[in-house]
Amino acid sequence: MMENTIIVYGTTWCGDCIRVRRFFDHNNIRYHWVDIDQDKRGEEFVFSTNHGMRSVPTIVFGDGSILVEPSEVELKQLKIKIGQI
């Protein structure tokens, strides 16, 4: 995985997933979307990462850090962090 790659695992019907995708799109933050309803490997990754919970969105960054179900504050902090890269 490249250092600046962001992968968002989620579902099309999840309100938080829609909010995160809108935030990323609005702020021109590039990401790869994985719909875990359609991608079983993605779903398995979410389960294993979140201790058996299907918690989405699960966001994985190129440095290996993970953010799950981020709040608005966390997204704003993320925007600042990405702007500094």
Side-chain angles (χ1 to χ4, degrees), residues 2 19-20 23 27 29 33 35 41 52 54 60 63-64 67-68 76 82 85:
M2 293 179 3
R19 180 176 54 83
V20 164
F23 176 86
N27 290 285
I29 299 170
W33 168 253
D35 181 348
R41 283 187 175 166
R54 198 171 193 253
V60 181
D63 65 1
L67 188 58
V68 180
K76 288 176 184 173
I82 289 175
I85 296 174

Side-chain angles (χ1 to χ4, degrees), residues 2-41:
M2 293 179 3
E3 182 69 24
N4 60 354
T5 301
I6 299 173
I7 303 173
V8 179
Y9 294 88
T11 63
T12 57
W13 50 265
C14 163
D16 284 338
C17 297
I18 293 167
R19 180 176 54 83
V20 164
R21 291 181 80 186
R22 278 191 192 139
F23 176 86
F24 280 18
D25 292 342
H26 178 76
N27 290 285
N28 296 315
I29 299 170
R30 294 178 55 179
Y31 63 94
H32 175 73
W33 168 253
V34 177
D35 181 348
I36 66 168
D37 284 335
Q38 303 297 319
D39 186 318
K40 290 304 166 195
R41 283 187 175 166

